[in-house]
Amino acid sequence: VNALVVDEVVALTDDAVAIAFAVPTGLAEAYRHAPGQHVVVLHPHGGGVIRRPYSICSPVGSERMWIAVRRIRGGVFSGFATEQLTAGETLHVMVPTGSFTVAVDPAAARRLCAVAAGSGITPVLSIVSSVLESEPESRVTLLYGNRRRSSTMFFDRLLELRAQHPDRLSLHLAYSRQADDPHAMSGRINPDLLDQLMTVSAVDDWFLCGPEPMTNAIGSALMTRGVASDRVHRELFFDDSPPVTPAHVLPDNTAEVTVRLNGEDLHFSLNARGESILAAVLRLRNTAPYACRDGVCGTCRAQLVTGEVAMERTSALSRQEREDGAILACQSHPVSENVVVDFDC
Ligand code: FES
């Protein structure tokens, strides 16, 4: 975690701002991000500290690192950021993380399609602009849904990108509560649009970011159309679906747990029906990485070395990552007698 000075705050809509950080030269390497990654902002509240993940919206190689924050009802940090934060103030920011990314390759000649709704545009903007700016032979289609023009984050930036890359960016805006805008279709983003706007089989990689019903509907439609699951990348900002494996249905067993964290082995006993492995670790060391504690940001990702855990939610992990033994510590409960988890690898 580093204290970064806020260099600029720009209003994007009535309820959203973009925040630029001045990253000192000595930290430039640590804050170099892959497009689509996020940072976690720490903010004092009620005698403690809250942590909130925010996607980076600037492209790779930008001089300044930008994030975007939309105010949510009752949101402590988002309220502060959208109503009070000004240039010159300091925020505590963790280094970029997250696997909703694309490896930019200047020699690539591929076709990407991104589907975003609302503030889901934030990581998608970084992905789209990075690919357009760094891969001269690649083409991008972007479908972006909002309620109306006035709630559309980065509207001007997207039109600017289209003007800069008219042959390589195909931009389709959709408004669910406004029917008279010359720049946009009316209605929600739905699977039928995929067939109307593009040849699905010609797309190499898909990036979906927004509310779960939208990403689920588009993801299922892509599966139905034969798109391989490893070509579909998803990012959720909130997961209010019921847990897949609620802790209370797990066996009433106590496990011996070993956790490797920052080169140190921590040992404790933990009941499967009790708190998560992350919560247990945080009682011993407050350096364990986490942000959302909801299973969506991936900050608490660790490797399961020995034994078995049950996860309540797994949204932040791809199927491949799960098969490779990655776990979300904030969602994990030990279900074998011995469990070893490594945060360091
Ligand atoms: S802290 Fe966000 S997924 Fe665990």
Side-chain angles (χ1 to χ4, degrees), residues 265-288:
D265 278 0
L266 307 170
H267 305 280
F268 51 86
S269 303
L270 187 62
N271 189 284
R273 292 184 180 173
E275 61 188 359
S276 69
I277 290 178
L278 175 72
V281 173
L282 287 171
R283 288 181 187 284
L284 303 172
R285 296 288 181 276
N286 62 7
T287 50

Short mmCIF file of all heavy atoms in Angstrom, two decimals, residues 265-288:
data_model
loop_
_atom_site.label_atom_id
_atom_site.label_comp_id
_atom_site.label_asym_id
_atom_site.label_seq_id
_atom_site.Cartn_x
_atom_site.Cartn_y
_atom_site.Cartn_z
N ASP A 265 4.93 -19.14 8.16
CA ASP A 265 3.87 -20.14 8.26
C ASP A 265 3.02 -19.87 9.49
O ASP A 265 3.55 -19.81 10.61
CB ASP A 265 4.48 -21.55 8.35
CG ASP A 265 4.85 -22.09 6.98
OD1 ASP A 265 4.63 -21.39 5.97
OD2 ASP A 265 5.37 -23.22 6.90
N LEU A 266 1.73 -19.74 9.30
CA LEU A 266 0.80 -19.52 10.42
C LEU A 266 -0.02 -20.79 10.60
O LEU A 266 -0.45 -21.39 9.61
CB LEU A 266 -0.13 -18.34 10.12
CG LEU A 266 0.54 -17.03 9.70
CD1 LEU A 266 -0.51 -16.03 9.20
CD2 LEU A 266 1.29 -16.43 10.90
N HIS A 267 -0.27 -21.19 11.83
CA HIS A 267 -1.03 -22.42 12.09
C HIS A 267 -2.23 -22.09 12.97
O HIS A 267 -2.10 -21.34 13.95
CB HIS A 267 -0.16 -23.45 12.84
CG HIS A 267 1.12 -23.76 12.12
ND1 HIS A 267 1.18 -24.64 11.06
CD2 HIS A 267 2.38 -23.31 12.32
CE1 HIS A 267 2.42 -24.71 10.63
NE2 HIS A 267 3.17 -23.91 11.37
N PHE A 268 -3.38 -22.65 12.62
CA PHE A 268 -4.56 -22.47 13.48
C PHE A 268 -5.56 -23.58 13.19
O PHE A 268 -5.50 -24.25 12.15
CB PHE A 268 -5.20 -21.09 13.28
CG PHE A 268 -5.49 -20.72 11.85
CD1 PHE A 268 -6.68 -21.10 11.25
CD2 PHE A 268 -4.56 -20.01 11.10
CE1 PHE A 268 -6.95 -20.76 9.93
CE2 PHE A 268 -4.82 -19.66 9.78
CZ PHE A 268 -6.02 -20.03 9.20
N SER A 269 -6.51 -23.76 14.12
CA SER A 269 -7.60 -24.71 13.92
C SER A 269 -8.82 -23.92 13.46
O SER A 269 -9.06 -22.81 13.94
CB SER A 269 -7.95 -25.43 15.23
OG SER A 269 -6.81 -26.08 15.72
N LEU A 270 -9.59 -24.52 12.56
CA LEU A 270 -10.75 -23.79 12.03
C LEU A 270 -11.87 -24.76 11.71
O LEU A 270 -11.64 -25.77 11.04
CB LEU A 270 -10.32 -23.02 10.76
CG LEU A 270 -11.35 -22.06 10.15
CD1 LEU A 270 -11.71 -20.95 11.14
CD2 LEU A 270 -10.80 -21.46 8.86
N ASN A 271 -13.08 -24.44 12.19
CA ASN A 271 -14.24 -25.27 11.88
C ASN A 271 -14.80 -24.87 10.52
O ASN A 271 -14.87 -23.69 10.19
CB ASN A 271 -15.30 -25.11 12.97
CG ASN A 271 -16.43 -26.13 12.80
OD1 ASN A 271 -17.28 -26.01 11.94
ND2 ASN A 271 -16.39 -27.17 13.62
N ALA A 272 -15.20 -25.89 9.76
CA ALA A 272 -15.70 -25.63 8.40
C ALA A 272 -16.91 -24.70 8.39
O ALA A 272 -17.12 -23.95 7.45
CB ALA A 272 -16.04 -26.95 7.72
N ARG A 273 -17.71 -24.76 9.48
CA ARG A 273 -18.92 -23.94 9.50
C ARG A 273 -18.67 -22.53 10.05
O ARG A 273 -19.58 -21.72 10.17
CB ARG A 273 -20.00 -24.60 10.35
CG ARG A 273 -20.51 -25.86 9.72
CD ARG A 273 -21.63 -26.43 10.56
NE ARG A 273 -22.13 -27.67 9.97
CZ ARG A 273 -23.02 -28.45 10.55
NH1 ARG A 273 -23.50 -28.13 11.75
NH2 ARG A 273 -23.43 -29.54 9.96
N GLY A 274 -17.44 -22.28 10.45
CA GLY A 274 -17.14 -21.00 11.08
C GLY A 274 -16.74 -19.94 10.07
O GLY A 274 -17.18 -19.94 8.92
N GLU A 275 -15.84 -19.07 10.52
CA GLU A 275 -15.42 -17.97 9.66
C GLU A 275 -14.56 -18.50 8.50
O GLU A 275 -14.11 -19.65 8.51
CB GLU A 275 -14.64 -16.94 10.47
CG GLU A 275 -13.38 -17.50 11.10
CD GLU A 275 -12.74 -16.51 12.07
OE1 GLU A 275 -13.24 -15.39 12.24
OE2 GLU A 275 -11.70 -16.89 12.65
N SER A 276 -14.31 -17.63 7.53
CA SER A 276 -13.51 -18.04 6.37
C SER A 276 -12.04 -18.12 6.75
O SER A 276 -11.61 -17.60 7.79
CB SER A 276 -13.68 -17.02 5.25
OG SER A 276 -13.04 -15.80 5.63
N ILE A 277 -11.26 -18.75 5.88
CA ILE A 277 -9.81 -18.83 6.11
C ILE A 277 -9.23 -17.41 6.16
O ILE A 277 -8.39 -17.10 7.01
CB ILE A 277 -9.15 -19.69 5.01
CG1 ILE A 277 -9.55 -21.15 5.22
CG2 ILE A 277 -7.62 -19.53 5.03
CD1 ILE A 277 -9.01 -22.12 4.18
N LEU A 278 -9.70 -16.51 5.28
CA LEU A 278 -9.18 -15.13 5.31
C LEU A 278 -9.46 -14.48 6.67
O LEU A 278 -8.56 -13.86 7.26
CB LEU A 278 -9.81 -14.28 4.20
CG LEU A 278 -9.40 -12.80 4.27
CD1 LEU A 278 -7.96 -12.62 3.84
CD2 LEU A 278 -10.32 -11.92 3.43
N ALA A 279 -10.69 -14.61 7.15
CA ALA A 279 -11.03 -13.97 8.44
C ALA A 279 -10.15 -14.50 9.55
O ALA A 279 -9.70 -13.74 10.43
CB ALA A 279 -12.51 -14.21 8.75
N ALA A 280 -9.88 -15.83 9.52
CA ALA A 280 -9.02 -16.42 10.56
C ALA A 280 -7.60 -15.89 10.45
O ALA A 280 -6.95 -15.59 11.46
CB ALA A 280 -9.04 -17.95 10.42
N VAL A 281 -7.11 -15.74 9.22
CA VAL A 281 -5.75 -15.22 9.03
C VAL A 281 -5.66 -13.77 9.52
O VAL A 281 -4.69 -13.38 10.16
CB VAL A 281 -5.33 -15.32 7.54
CG1 VAL A 281 -3.99 -14.63 7.31
CG2 VAL A 281 -5.24 -16.77 7.10
N LEU A 282 -6.70 -12.99 9.23
CA LEU A 282 -6.66 -11.57 9.61
C LEU A 282 -6.62 -11.38 11.12
O LEU A 282 -6.17 -10.34 11.61
CB LEU A 282 -7.85 -10.82 9.00
CG LEU A 282 -7.75 -10.57 7.49
CD1 LEU A 282 -9.07 -10.02 6.94
CD2 LEU A 282 -6.62 -9.61 7.17
N ARG A 283 -7.08 -12.38 11.86
CA ARG A 283 -6.96 -12.28 13.33
C ARG A 283 -5.50 -12.35 13.76
O ARG A 283 -5.12 -11.84 14.81
CB ARG A 283 -7.69 -13.44 14.00
CG ARG A 283 -9.17 -13.34 13.92
CD ARG A 283 -9.80 -14.51 14.65
NE ARG A 283 -11.23 -14.47 14.40
CZ ARG A 283 -12.05 -13.64 15.00
NH1 ARG A 283 -11.59 -12.79 15.89
NH2 ARG A 283 -13.33 -13.64 14.71
N LEU A 284 -4.69 -13.04 12.93
CA LEU A 284 -3.27 -13.23 13.28
C LEU A 284 -2.36 -12.19 12.63
O LEU A 284 -1.37 -11.76 13.23
CB LEU A 284 -2.82 -14.64 12.85
CG LEU A 284 -3.63 -15.79 13.44
CD1 LEU A 284 -3.22 -17.10 12.79
CD2 LEU A 284 -3.42 -15.85 14.94
N ARG A 285 -2.67 -11.85 11.38
CA ARG A 285 -1.82 -10.90 10.63
C ARG A 285 -2.73 -10.01 9.80
O ARG A 285 -3.53 -10.52 9.00
CB ARG A 285 -0.87 -11.65 9.68
CG ARG A 285 0.16 -12.53 10.34
CD ARG A 285 1.27 -11.74 11.03
NE ARG A 285 2.23 -12.64 11.63
CZ ARG A 285 2.09 -13.21 12.83
NH1 ARG A 285 1.02 -12.95 13.55
NH2 ARG A 285 3.03 -14.02 13.29
N ASN A 286 -2.56 -8.70 9.96
CA ASN A 286 -3.43 -7.81 9.16
C ASN A 286 -2.84 -7.51 7.79
O ASN A 286 -3.31 -6.65 7.08
CB ASN A 286 -3.73 -6.51 9.91
CG ASN A 286 -2.46 -5.72 10.18
OD1 ASN A 286 -1.40 -6.08 9.69
ND2 ASN A 286 -2.58 -4.64 10.94
N THR A 287 -1.80 -8.27 7.40
CA THR A 287 -1.18 -8.05 6.10
C THR A 287 -1.76 -8.95 5.02
O THR A 287 -1.36 -8.86 3.86
CB THR A 287 0.34 -8.31 6.18
OG1 THR A 287 0.55 -9.57 6.82
CG2 THR A 287 1.05 -7.23 6.97
N ALA A 288 -2.69 -9.83 5.38
CA ALA A 288 -3.29 -10.69 4.35
C ALA A 288 -4.02 -9.82 3.34
O ALA A 288 -4.71 -8.87 3.72
CB ALA A 288 -4.25 -11.68 5.00
#
